[in-house]
């Protein structure tokens, strides 16, 4: 009998596995097992200065632009147990958890990775970190499951695969490559922060990263477009029939010469060329459309944001609901559900409908739609889970947004059981002026739209949108002078930014939502979010300005980076390929950030005097064979080149400085190794006795 050690990602997952298999340890279908759990990541990469030879430690710990880019080939990629604060406020190390895991798996013959099957490979990464840390040398298998319900766990137990060589485990290789890219990109944060500080801005951290920089920069550009928007009226001849249908020439903004006029007088003169006209070429076509796609987590979050629920709240609440199998796996990148999942859920359709107030008589399309059901995914798209709550009220234990999360997700899912939306597409043109046309749709049968309309819920609506006519086409149309204006840029919102990222297929729905939650939370937030509307904080604006023109903020290059990471996971490219990309991005973006810092004052104005922070320039030299650095400024005095040489030679110099009371004074001093809060440094030390 083989004994398996089943490694879950955290205690809540271990609880579900125990419920499915019959306990934290025991026997399942003739195989012995014990279930153990981590607590998310137990290890982290050490600080840069700990990854290199001691002689290079100062260079890799420095935030000085002169010390970057790093030579990534010198990094050891060493990891250590995470140190964290417990509930009592005391610091603890995950080394204790690792020791416990090692002890509890000693008798097992095969380690089984049962962490989340995450599209980013994160579950694989944290599992292999643990396996390596406890020095496991025996076989390693992998369980692939769509959720933590018993049927899925049973199936994954029977079909587990041997992944004993981690370098052949694509999910791990992909995740480790991403992990190393993110680590190297901390240089961009250091560069942006340092350059901003040198300009006088007291920013704590101008965080840059492969998705956050894209988001912040795009929002900044939109805010800038709104700020600089100037309404420019134009005048154009249009026609209107007796039912209010508008007839106009199809024209693009850059091709409107001779049709649109900046002068009302010129527009009125153009209208003299036209008179009433009959309507012809009337066409009426009966059409249909299928229900919208199943929601990604980002789509769900953007809908809920307009109702006052921030991304952080939605993420946390959804995760708790998933752990109790009330909703499906959150971090999926699947857009479809499998035939097996469709069949499993079909028996619960009426129960779910009654719970969320959907009329079951609308749910007549009980066969699988090709637009929604397709095999090949890992978890299936976001949807209600296998456990249907007895009431919506009981969901409040998961969080404030739980009820609306479930209701929205359920209605979106139920819509695919509704019949297609039926409508008439109507078009016509003017008899005397055939370039003037109209077209609109008239609903015939709403069907699934009475349940949930995904496109309507997730669409970024234009402020100028108007409802089309529904009374049919008239018989005669008359000209009038239409007054329009150039379109005002849309306000940044959750829906707007999610639509942008989705358009370029950058990140999964969960990654987008997680990143928005991260950068809109905490004291160093780059965004504020209010009912789905996004606004940059000063920190966000500084970060965005520093990122202008950079590769890290380019949505195109970010898409290429995500694709390259997928290629690494499929062994089409080596991990070094991602590291090389990181090196190129940092070298390229450093030059731009240096230039961009000069734009801060122009765009944001001078920083407040009391908040001004200026990074002190440093001088490098040698003292007794040791390479050291020290501040070039002390007490308001900037050392001359001769004074620097004297200090490095160990000589005492005399300088004029400014006291705390803003008075000028003189003192003598020398270069000394000193200590501040337990950290040693070299600097000028005055000797006031002299």
């Amino acid at each position: 009998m083989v004994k398996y050690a089943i490694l879950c990602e955290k205690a809540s997952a271990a609880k579900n596995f125990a419920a499915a298999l019959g306990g934290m340890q025991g026997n399942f279908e003739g195989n012995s097992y014990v279930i153990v759990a981590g607590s998310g990541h137990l290890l982290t990469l050490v600080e840069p200065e700990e990854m290199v030879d001691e002689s290079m430690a100062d260079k890799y710990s420095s935030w000085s632009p002169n010390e970057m880019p790093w030579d990534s080939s010198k990094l050891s990629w060493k990891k250590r147990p995470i140190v964290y604060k417990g509930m009592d406020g005391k610091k603890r190390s995950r080394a204790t958890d690792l020791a416990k895991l090692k002890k509890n798996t000693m008798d097992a013959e095969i380690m089984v990775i049962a962490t989340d099957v995450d599209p980013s490979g994160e579950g694989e990464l944290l599992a292999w970190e643990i396996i390596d840390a406890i020095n496991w040398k025996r076989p390693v298998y992998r369980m692939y499951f769509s959720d933590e319900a018993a049927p899925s766990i049973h199936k994954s137990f029977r079909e587990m695969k041997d992944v004993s060589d981690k370098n052949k485990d694509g999910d791990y290789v992909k995740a480790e490559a991403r992990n190393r890219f993110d680590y190297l990109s901390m240089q961009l944060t250091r560069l942006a922060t340092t350059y901003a500080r040198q300009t006088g801005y007291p920013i704590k951290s101008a965080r840059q990263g492969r998705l956050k920089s894209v988001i912040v920069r795009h929002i900044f550009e939109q805010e800038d477009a709104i700020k600089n928007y100037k309404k420019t009226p134009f005048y154009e001849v249009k026609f209107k029939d007796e039912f209010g249908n508008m007839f106009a020439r199809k024209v693009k903004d850059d091709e409107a010469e001779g049709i649109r006029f900046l002068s009302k007088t010129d527009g009125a003169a153009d209208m003299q060329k036209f008179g009433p006209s009959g309507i012809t070429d009337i066409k009426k076509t009966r059409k249909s459309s299928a229900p919208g796609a199943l929601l990604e987590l980002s789509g769900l979050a953007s809908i809920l944001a307009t109702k006052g629920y921030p991304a952080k709240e939605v993420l946390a609440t959804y995760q708790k609901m998933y752990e109790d199998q009330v909703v499906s796996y959150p971090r999926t990148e699947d857009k479809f559900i499998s035939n097996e999942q469709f069949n499993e859920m079909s028996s619960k359709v009426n129960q779910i409908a009654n719970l969320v107030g959907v009329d079951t008589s609308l749910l007549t399309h009980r066969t699988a739609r090709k637009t929604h059901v397709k095999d090949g995914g890992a978890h299936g798209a976001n949807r209600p889970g296998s456990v249907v709550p007895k009431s919506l009220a009981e969901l409040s234990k998961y969080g404030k947004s739980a009820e609306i999360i479930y209701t929205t997700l359920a209605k979106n899912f139920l819509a695919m059981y509704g019949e297609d939306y039926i409508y008439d597409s109507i078009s016509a043109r003017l008899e005397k002026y055939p370039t003037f046309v109209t077209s609109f749709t008239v609903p015939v049968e709403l069907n699934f739209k009475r349940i949930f309309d995904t496109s309507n819920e997730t669409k970024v609506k234009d402020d100028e949108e108007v409802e089309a006519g529904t009374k049919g086409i008239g018989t005669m149309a008359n000209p009038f002078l239409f007054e329009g204006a150039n379109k005002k840029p849309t306000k940044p919102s959750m829906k707007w930014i999610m639509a942008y990222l989705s358009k370029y297929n950058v990140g999964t729905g969960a990654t987008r939502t997680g990143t928005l939650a991260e950068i809109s939370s905490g004291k160093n937030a780059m965004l504020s979010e209010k009912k789905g509307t996004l606004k940059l904080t000063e920190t966000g604006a500084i970060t965005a300005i520093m990122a202008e023109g950079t590769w890290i903020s380019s949505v195109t290059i970010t898409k290429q980076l995500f694709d390259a990471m997928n290629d690494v996971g499929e062994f089409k490219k080596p991990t070094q390929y991602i590291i090389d990309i990181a090196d190129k991005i940092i070298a390229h973006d450093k030059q731009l950030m240096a230039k961009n810092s000069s734009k801060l004052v122009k765009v944001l104005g001078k920083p407040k005097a009391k908040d001004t922070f200026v990074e002190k320039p440093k001088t490098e030299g040698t003292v007794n064979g040791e390479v050291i650095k020290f501040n070039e400024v002390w007490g308001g005095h900037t050392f001359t080149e001769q004074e620097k040489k004297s200090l490095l030679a160990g000589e005492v110099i005399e300088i004029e400085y400014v006291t705390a009371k803003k008075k000028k004074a003189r003192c003598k001093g020398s270069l000394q190794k000193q200590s501040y809060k337990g950290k040693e440094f070299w600097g000028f030390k005055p000797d006031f006795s002299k």
Side-chain angles (χ1 to χ4, degrees), residues 395-414:
L395 294 174
S396 61
K397 64 184 178 184
Y398 298 109
K400 295 178 181 179
S401 60
E403 184 173 330
I404 193 167
I405 285 175
Y406 190 85
T407 301
T408 305
L409 206 60
K411 288 183 177 180
N412 170 244
F413 172 76
L414 293 171

Side-chain angles (χ1 to χ4, degrees), residues 171-231:
D171 289 336
Y172 164 75
V173 174
K174 173 184 177 180
E176 182 61 25
R178 189 207 70 253
N179 193 34
R180 294 185 181 188
F181 178 92
D182 289 347
Y183 188 88
L184 291 169
S185 71
M186 78 163 73
Q187 294 172 83
L188 295 173
T189 295
R190 291 184 176 190
L191 288 166
T193 304
T194 300
Y195 284 133
R197 287 176 178 176
Q198 288 176 348
T199 310
Y201 290 88
I203 187 169
K204 183 177 180 181
S205 178
R207 288 174 289 165
Q208 304 286 348
R210 58 192 158 87
L211 197 53
K212 57 176 70 76
S213 296
V214 171
I215 293 171
V216 173
R217 182 63 205 172
H218 191 53
I219 292 172
F220 176 85
E221 289 171 350
Q222 193 71 358
E223 286 186 345
D224 192 53
I226 292 170
K227 182 173 67 176
N228 294 311
Y229 169 77
K230 292 182 180 179
K231 185 176 180 179

Side-chain angles (χ1 to χ4, degrees), residues 2-21:
V2 177
K3 184 172 183 179
Y4 297 98
I6 300 175
L7 175 59
C8 294
E9 190 160 321
K10 48 196 168 189
S12 58
K15 178 183 174 183
N16 287 333
F17 270 74
L21 299 177

Side-chain angles (χ1 to χ4, degrees), residues 40-72:
H41 281 281
L42 300 187
L43 294 104
T44 185
L45 289 163
V46 300
E47 293 299 320
E49 58 268 30
E50 299 175 66
M51 281 199 191
V52 295
D53 184 81
E54 189 176 344
S55 63
M56 296 184 285
D58 284 348
K59 173 181 174 66
Y60 284 75
S61 66
S62 174
W63 283 50
S64 170
N66 294 334
E67 306 296 0
M68 290 175 269
W70 301 331
D71 180 350
S72 58

Side-chain angles (χ1 to χ4, degrees), residues 648-660:
L648 288 167
E651 299 174 8
V652 175
I653 65 171
E654 183 176 342
I655 63 169
E656 183 178 82
Y657 71 102
V658 180
T659 70

Side-chain angles (χ1 to χ4, degrees), residues 16 24 218 222 273 336 399 441 564 593 627 629 666:
N16 287 333
M24 289 297 289
H218 191 53
Q222 193 71 358
K273 303 173 185 176
F336 305 87
T441 61
M593 287 180 176
V627 177
K629 292 180 182 178
R666 299 188 71 81

Side-chain angles (χ1 to χ4, degrees), residues 334-558:
D334 296 336
K335 307 292 193 300
F336 305 87
I337 60 172
S338 67
N339 281 284
E340 182 180 359
Q341 291 163 346
F342 177 80
N343 294 332
E344 288 173 358
M345 292 300 297
S346 289
S347 62
K348 296 177 170 57
V349 167
N350 285 359
Q351 186 182 359
I352 295 170
N354 289 329
L355 179 65
V356 298
V358 170
D359 186 351
T360 55
S361 67
L362 295 172
L363 310 176
T364 54
H365 195 107
R366 297 290 177 137
T367 56
R369 291 178 175 273
K370 292 181 180 180
T371 51
H372 292 72
V373 182
K374 184 169 69 174
D375 291 331
H379 296 281
N382 295 108
R383 61 194 185 282
S386 58
V387 175
V388 181
K390 293 180 181 178
S391 69
L392 291 176
E394 74 176 48
L395 294 174
S396 61
K397 64 184 178 184
Y398 298 109
K400 295 178 181 179
S401 60
E403 184 173 330
I404 193 167
I405 285 175
Y406 190 85
T407 301
T408 305
L409 206 60
K411 288 183 177 180
N412 170 244
F413 172 76
L414 293 171
M416 73 174 174
Y417 291 91
E419 298 298 337
D420 288 0
Y421 167 57
I422 309 297
Y423 62 96
D424 285 334
S425 175
I426 299 174
S427 64
R429 66 180 67 248
L430 297 186
E431 192 171 24
K432 290 172 66 175
Y433 315 107
T435 56
F436 286 79
V437 297
T438 190
S439 63
F440 55 88
T441 61
V442 178
V444 177
E445 296 178 31
L446 292 175
N447 294 330
F448 79 80
K449 285 180 178 282
R450 293 176 61 187
I451 304 168
F452 189 87
D453 187 353
T454 306
S455 60
N456 185 57
E457 291 286 345
T458 57
K459 182 181 179 183
V460 181
K461 294 182 179 178
D462 189 330
D463 293 338
E464 299 175 2
E465 282 186 16
V466 294
E467 293 295 322
T470 58
K471 296 180 181 179
I473 297 290
T475 58
M476 184 67 66
N478 293 297
F480 72 100
L481 192 60
F482 171 80
E483 181 179 344
N486 54 321
K487 186 178 176 182
K488 187 175 183 179
T490 305
K491 284 184 179 180
S493 67
M494 279 277 283
K495 285 185 181 180
W496 172 83
I497 195 66
M498 293 303 188
Y500 175 73
L501 297 174
S502 180
K503 175 184 176 182
Y504 289 94
N505 196 24
V506 175
T508 65
T511 304
R512 298 166 195 157
T513 308
T515 303
L516 256 297
E518 176 194 345
I519 64 178
S520 60
S521 306
K523 294 180 181 179
N524 198 35
M526 294 191 277
L527 298 174
S528 64
E529 178 196 337
K530 187 174 182 180
K531 289 197 172 183
T533 299
L534 303 175
K535 186 176 181 181
L536 289 177
T537 62
E538 183 178 66
T539 295
I542 292 171
T543 304
I545 293 167
M546 295 303 299
E548 182 181 352
T550 59
W551 285 351
I552 196 66
S553 69
S554 164
V555 71
T556 305
I557 289 175
T558 300

